[in-house]
């Protein structure tokens, strides 16, 4: 810990709030921080860097929050991000809430303007009662008013972020506290590291036996692996249970790769049929939220029974009756499940496995053809088919993915082979998380990252391309440009000549952005170009950008979730009204003409 040298011989060395907070973070193994500096946290970030924390200065607080969230998901330890007071703080609330919804451990630290003037609404610079504002957006919101409380505040934040269902925690750091001083030796002596912030939570043996008995009674048992299962970092226990029982499984998007996607027990290609015909479903770290149709309705077998393994007891019965709740951490629980296997005869019926295999073969043949058929211009299927070929040879590349069709089709087409190698829009289906996730993943792991965005999604957080270049991170950004939100051929309903509310620039050369910052840009218009450029970009381990030209007609409105669109009772046009355009790629450029 750095100390301020006393002016007189008699005075003991002092430390200040900023140095002490850095020391407390380091004591707890927090050695990275993402953020955007300004008053009153500029010196805090400089001190953090000087004392050994890797500080990643970013361009927007939301992206810094997402980078920290990616780190939290990948490591199981809190990612930390830093913001200035009021406006920077408010920008950080969205990723803080997103991380909390996703169950990723994150700590947001913000500087806060002097409390005495804020509380009397005297009109302080960037004055806001931040601790109170943060409350609904995270698991807990703390303010450290006295520097003596820093070890306690940091410990509270780490334990809250990591224990139970992980999530976001806020720490407010008033400017008055940053400037406080105390005896350096006393401060050092009071530092401590949190003792096991995510203690094992062992489920009751009764609940484990009840679950195994229900599985043994099933004819068509199905396992759902969610991102909680990936987060739990007990890959072998889960793989062993799936393989020993032979039960078909369905990976949620961020659980892809927990078992390799080409595993014969995967039901990824026959999801609908598996859900409609399963009689017992074992949920491992997956919630019955909108993504699983709340566990009810036409998508599910009406008589299905659920076993749910979760660390959070309040998740049980969230949207329907659960026959067998198992409350515990997934690692401890899977250990008991595996140990109990010798007592029960658990397997899926041969008829059902055959039925799923037939459906898988049929769907793979139909879908696979679309990913291999060249068109001009390209569409999502064949562009991502080319990406799949490269990723099949580069299993250890981390994939970040956001967009509508770009997300849905990439999840279906690009196979994952290793756990925790896929990050995407998550529980809220958020756009604008991608570049932050990519930076967090690259900084945390040092591995190559492929960050695939729709052109609309990329618009939210594209400026972080500069951060990737400044830190020389091994990230390849890829935009699939179909010229709009969902697609680029919607009509100007006002007949004003203005673009439609969904339209963006179909001919934009997004790849030029990275060239402005010293990275390498590529423009791809064919499947071969996508494949060769991506191969070269990943091999370079340097910041690269591949702009892939798609047809403006590629994609469907709202991707796979168009049923969530409310249908207007009165309205001028249906959702799908499109402009009739002819288009071709000439000399590497998209050329459009109005069709007759
Ligand atoms: P997905 O979107 O992939 O279906 P969700 O985010 O909906 O996944 O669900 C993840 C679930 O996993 C959450 O309910 C969370 O409480 C739970 N969870 C997270 N970590 C653990 C853990 N270590 N042990 C048990 N459950 C966990
Ligand atoms: Mg688009």
């Amino acid at each position: 810990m750095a100390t301020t040298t006393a002016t007189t011989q008699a005075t003991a060395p002092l430390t200040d709030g900023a140095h002490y907070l850095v020391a407390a973070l380091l004591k707890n193994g927090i050695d990275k921080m993402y953020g955007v500096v300004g008053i009153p946290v500029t010196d805090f970030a400089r001190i953090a860097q000087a004392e050994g924390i890797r500080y990643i200065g970013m361009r927007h607080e939301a992206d810094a929050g997402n980078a920290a969230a990616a780190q939290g998901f990948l490591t199981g330890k809190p990612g930390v991000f830093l913001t200035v007071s009021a406006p920077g703080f408010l920008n950080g609330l969205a990723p803080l809430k997103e991380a909390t919804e996703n169950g990723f451990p994150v700590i947001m630290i913000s500087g806060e303007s002097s409390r005495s003037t804020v509380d009397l609404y005297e009109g302080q610079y960037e004055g806001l009662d931040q601790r109170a504002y943060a409350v609904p957006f995270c698991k807990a919101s703390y303010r450290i008013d006295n520097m003596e409380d820093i070890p306690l505040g940091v410990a509270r934040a780490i334990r809250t972020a990591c224990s139970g269902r992980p999530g976001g925690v806020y720490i407010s750091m008033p400017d008055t506290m940053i400037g406080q001083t105390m005896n350096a030796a006393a401060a050092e002596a009071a530092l401590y590291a949190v003792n096991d912030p995510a203690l094992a939570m062992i489920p009751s043996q009764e609940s484990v036996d009840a679950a195994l008995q229900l599985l043994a009674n099933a004819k068509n048992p199905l396992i759902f692996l969610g991102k909680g299962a990936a987060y739990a970092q007990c890959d072998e226990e889960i793989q062993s249970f799936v393989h020993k029982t032979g039960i078909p499984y369905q990976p949620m998007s961020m659980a892809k790769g927990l078992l390799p996607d080409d595993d014969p027990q995967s039901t990824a290609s026959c999801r609908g049929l598996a859900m409609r015909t399963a009689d017992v479903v074992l949920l491992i770290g997956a919630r019955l939220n909108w993504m699983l149709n709340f566990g009810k309705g036409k998508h599910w077998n009406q008589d299905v029974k659920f076993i749910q393994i979760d660390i959070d007891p309040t998740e049980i019965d969230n949207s329907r009756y659960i026959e067998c709740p198992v409350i515990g951490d997934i690692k401890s629980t899977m250990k008991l499940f595996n140990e109990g296997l010798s007592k029960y005869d658990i397997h899926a019926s041969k008829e059902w496995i055959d039925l799923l295999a037939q459906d898988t073969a049929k769907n793979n043949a139909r879908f696979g053809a679309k990913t291999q058929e060249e068109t001009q211009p390209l569409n999502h299927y064949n562009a991502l088919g080319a990406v799949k070929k490269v990723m099949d040879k580069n299993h250890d590349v981390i994939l970040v993915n956001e967009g509508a069709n770009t997300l849905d089709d990439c999840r279906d087409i690009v196979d994952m082979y290793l756990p925790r190698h896929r990050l995407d829009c998550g529980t809220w289906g958020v756009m604008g998380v991608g570049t932050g996730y990519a930076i967090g993943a690259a900084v945390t792991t040092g591995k190559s990252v492929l960050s695939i965005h729709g052109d609309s999604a990329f618009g939210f957080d594209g400026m972080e391309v500069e951060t990737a270049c400044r830190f020389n991170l091994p990230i390849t950004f890829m935009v699939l440009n179909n010229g709009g939100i969902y697609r680029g051929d919607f009509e100007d309903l006002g007949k004003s000549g203005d673009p439609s509310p969904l339209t963006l620039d179909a001919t934009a050369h997004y790849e030029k952005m990275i060239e402005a910052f010293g990275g390498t840009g590529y423009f791809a218009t064919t499947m071969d170009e996508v494949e060769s450029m991506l191969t070269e970009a990943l091999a370079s381990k340097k910041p690269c950008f591949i702009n892939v030209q798609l047809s403006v007609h590629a994609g469907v409105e709202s991707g796979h979730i168009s049923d969530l669109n409310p249908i207007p009772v009165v309205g001028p046009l249906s959702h799908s009204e499109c402009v009739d355009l002819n288009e071709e790629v000439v000399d590497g450029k998209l050329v459009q003409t109005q069709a007759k």
Side-chain angles (χ1 to χ4, degrees):
M1 195 187 335
T3 55
T4 314
T5 314
T7 42
T8 64
Q9 281 307 95
T11 317
L14 299 176
T15 188
D16 55 50
H19 280 93
Y20 200 29
L21 181 52
V22 167
L25 293 172
L26 281 168
K27 183 85 181 176
N28 281 280
I30 290 170
D31 59 0
K32 295 182 189 67
M33 192 188 294
Y34 309 85
V36 182
V37 299
I39 293 170
V41 299
T42 313
D43 276 341
F44 174 70
R46 276 199 280 243
I47 292 164
Q49 188 175 53
E51 298 289 317
I53 290 183
R54 183 165 191 211
Y55 182 83
I56 311 294
M58 298 188 56
R59 306 306 298 258
H60 194 284
E61 293 84 355
D63 307 331
N66 289 321
Q71 181 174 321
F73 170 69
L74 293 170
T75 63
K77 303 201 173 75
V80 174
F81 73 109
L82 178 70
T83 85
V84 301
S85 35
F89 158 82
L90 290 171
N91 283 343
L93 288 183
L96 188 67
K97 181 64 177 163
E98 283 154 28
T100 306
E101 289 296 316
N102 280 325
F104 300 162
V106 158
I107 298 173
M108 164 168 156
I109 302 176
S110 299
E112 189 176 9
S113 301
S114 303
R115 301 279 319 132
S116 57
T117 49
V118 169
D119 286 348
L120 276 169
Y121 282 82
E122 292 180 43
Q124 180 55 274
Y125 168 77
E126 296 188 353
L128 191 74
D129 183 2
Q130 293 169 198
R131 197 208 66 77
Y133 274 67
V135 169
F137 297 97
C138 52
K139 285 181 80 177
S141 174
Y142 304 119
R143 178 186 294 126
I144 307 177
D145 281 308
N146 300 312
M147 71 174 289
E148 289 83 357
D149 293 329
I150 283 175
L152 178 70
V154 169
R156 297 274 284 142
I158 292 174
R159 188 170 296 284
T160 308
C162 296
S163 61
R165 175 184 292 160
V169 175
Y170 174 62
I171 298 180
S172 222
M173 179 172 63
D175 53 7
T176 41
M177 190 279 277
I178 297 172
Q180 286 171 7
T181 56
M182 69 182 277
N183 178 291
E188 174 82 45
L191 282 176
Y192 64 95
V194 180
N195 192 2
D196 196 351
L199 283 161
M201 285 178 61
I202 321 277
S204 74
Q205 189 61 47
E206 290 78 10
S207 67
V208 172
D209 283 328
L212 293 174
Q213 185 60 60
L214 189 57
L215 280 175
N217 295 345
K219 272 175 67 188
N220 300 353
L222 178 66
I223 295 172
F224 266 85
L225 300 174
K227 57 179 157 338
Y231 176 83
Q233 299 209 16
C234 54
D235 313 328
E236 278 175 23
E237 282 93 335
I238 291 172
Q239 288 156 4
S240 164
F241 185 79
V242 171
H243 285 149
K244 276 195 192 138
T245 59
I247 298 178
Y249 74 93
Q250 177 67 224
M252 299 300 287
S253 67
M254 284 180 63
K256 274 165 70 78
L258 195 41
L259 288 103
D261 274 333
D262 57 1
D263 188 295
Q265 283 173 247
S266 170
T267 59
S269 300
C270 60
R271 186 176 198 262
L273 180 70
M275 283 169 66
R276 285 193 305 277
T277 52
D279 58 358
V280 173
V281 168
L282 167 61
L283 300 165
I284 308 181
R287 279 172 281 188
L288 288 178
N289 55 18
W290 68 278
M291 277 191 248
L292 288 179
N293 304 92
F294 306 102
K296 53 199 177 190
K298 63 179 188 280
H299 298 280
W300 291 96
N301 173 359
Q302 292 311 295
D303 300 320
V304 64
K305 294 187 169 67
F306 282 96
I307 302 163
Q308 183 162 20
I309 303 176
D310 207 291
I311 204 159
D312 181 0
T314 67
E315 187 55 40
I316 309 301
D317 297 324
N318 171 61
S319 57
R320 58 156 289 148
Y321 176 68
I322 299 294
E323 280 74 9
C324 250
V326 183
I327 299 304
D329 74 90
I330 290 168
K331 185 173 186 165
S332 307
T333 306
M334 291 318 294
K335 188 165 173 284
L336 293 180
F337 268 50
N338 279 315
E339 284 169 10
L341 275 184
S342 57
K343 292 189 278 171
Y344 300 87
D345 176 19
I346 296 176
H347 64 273
S349 68
K350 182 167 181 316
E351 302 83 70
W352 195 52
I353 289 179
D354 290 347
L355 183 74
L356 297 176
Q358 279 164 21
D359 201 47
T360 294
K362 191 182 77 198
N363 293 338
N364 282 350
R366 208 180 51 203
F367 203 63
K370 288 209 275 184
T371 64
Q372 283 155 37
E373 180 187 67
E374 179 94 39
T375 57
Q376 273 300 301
L378 294 172
N379 56 46
H380 295 90
Y381 300 116
N382 50 22
L384 290 163
V387 170
K388 172 184 159 53
K389 279 195 192 167
V390 181
M391 290 296 278
D392 281 348
K393 294 185 198 138
N394 291 279
H395 292 186
D396 206 16
V397 170
I398 295 179
L399 180 68
V400 174
N401 186 204
E402 63 174 346
N405 294 279
T406 300
L407 174 82
D408 294 332
D409 296 335
C410 181
R411 183 183 53 229
D412 291 345
I413 292 167
V414 177
D415 286 337
M416 305 305 302
Y417 299 89
L418 295 170
R420 293 170 297 284
H421 277 56
R422 187 184 153 89
L423 289 128
D424 63 32
C425 305
T427 302
W428 262 7
V430 190
M431 300 298 133
V433 291
T435 62
Y437 279 177
I439 287 168
V443 167
T444 303
T445 65
K447 293 182 180 177
S448 289
V449 177
L450 170 59
S451 191
I452 307 184
H453 314 248
D455 56 321
S456 150
F458 179 71
F460 292 90
D461 58 357
M463 193 61 197
E464 299 302 340
V465 163
E466 188 274 332
T467 306
C469 290
R470 189 162 21 99
F471 285 86
N472 194 25
L473 299 174
I475 302 175
T476 297
F477 299 96
M478 177 179 280
V479 165
L480 300 190
N481 187 9
N482 65 348
I485 300 175
Y486 308 129
R487 47 195 282 166
D489 58 358
F490 290 101
E491 202 178 352
D492 160 24
L493 297 180
K495 310 293 177 207
S496 58
D498 288 337
S500 95
L502 299 90
T503 301
L504 300 167
D505 186 347
T507 58
H509 278 277
Y510 288 103
E511 77 282 6
K512 301 269 183 219
M513 276 181 70
I514 206 162
E515 291 169 8
F517 306 115
T520 306
Y522 298 90
F523 179 57
T525 61
T526 66
M527 291 172 73
D528 277 350
E529 283 171 357
V530 173
E531 189 181 341
S532 62
M533 290 170 180
L534 179 55
T535 303
E536 186 178 301
L538 289 176
S540 78
K541 294 209 153 254
K542 296 216 171 325
C544 295
F545 198 121
I546 307 175
N547 179 24
V548 183
Q549 181 69 64
L550 300 194
S551 163
V552 296
H553 305 304
V556 290
E557 182 165 341
S558 306
H560 290 189
I561 51 174
S562 52
D563 56 319
L564 297 182
N565 270 334
I567 300 164
V569 181
V570 285
L573 287 171
S574 78
H575 287 299
S576 58
E577 207 70 27
C578 298
V579 181
D580 206 5
L581 285 173
N582 287 327
E583 51 180 7
E584 53 185 324
V585 179
V586 181
D587 294 337
K589 283 200 192 97
L590 185 74
V591 179
Q592 298 168 323
T593 49
Q594 198 93 30
K596 300 255 161 31

